[in-house]
């Protein structure tokens, strides 16, 4: 039930069939466990705010799909802020 909308959304991000299969194989919880609107889309939007383009987002979530399961407020944003405190630039972070 959730597979078709998820695959459509991933392909809209620019992922090809191979990337979609690889991502779902690495992190099957993404199907059915996370809401596109409430969980996944905000994370992709945030990655784009960091300076990633669609191809970089697709590559990142293919390689590290668990990123989609992390909390933006409790994990991702604080991690980036810590890296910035250590003088990493956004280009180095992404």
């Amino acid at each position: 039930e959730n597979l078709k909308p998820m695959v459509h959304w991933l392909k809209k991000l620019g992922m090809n069939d191979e990337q979609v299969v690889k991502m779902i194989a690495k992190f099957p919880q993404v199907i059915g466990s996370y809401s596109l609107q409430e969980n996944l889309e905000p994370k992709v939007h945030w990655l784009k705010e960091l300076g990633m383009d669609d191809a970089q987002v697709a590559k990142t979530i293919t390689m590290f799909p668990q990123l989609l399961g992390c909390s933006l407020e409790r994990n991702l944003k604080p991690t980036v802020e810590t890296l910035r405190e250590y003088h990493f630039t956004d280009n180095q972070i992404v």
Side-chain angles (χ1 to χ4, degrees), residues 1-90:
E1 181 179 312
N2 293 331
L3 184 59
K4 284 184 181 182
M6 176 65 68
V7 170
H8 177 73
W9 180 74
L10 293 169
K11 287 187 167 196
K12 213 168 75 171
L13 287 177
M15 293 177 77
N16 61 38
D17 289 339
E18 183 181 340
Q19 288 174 310
V20 170
V21 169
K22 188 181 285 188
M23 193 215 75
I24 293 171
K26 284 183 179 178
F27 193 60
Q29 300 91 325
V30 77
I31 304 296
S33 297
Y34 299 98
S35 162
L36 284 174
Q37 293 81 17
E38 293 177 22
N39 299 100
L40 306 181
E41 288 175 355
K43 289 174 184 127
V44 167
H45 179 74
W46 179 74
L47 291 171
K48 289 180 179 182
E49 284 181 344
L50 286 177
M52 287 187 177
D53 61 26
D54 288 343
Q56 289 172 310
V57 170
K59 182 178 179 180
T60 299
I61 64 175
T62 299
M63 293 175 61
F64 307 106
Q66 298 85 353
L67 181 78
L68 296 174
C70 294
S71 166
L72 267 176
E73 300 304 322
R74 291 189 317 266
N75 299 102
L76 300 175
K77 288 180 179 182
T79 299
V80 168
E81 287 308 313
T82 299
L83 291 171
R84 286 177 175 153
E85 288 173 12
Y86 286 101
H87 307 290
F88 283 84
T89 66
D90 285 351

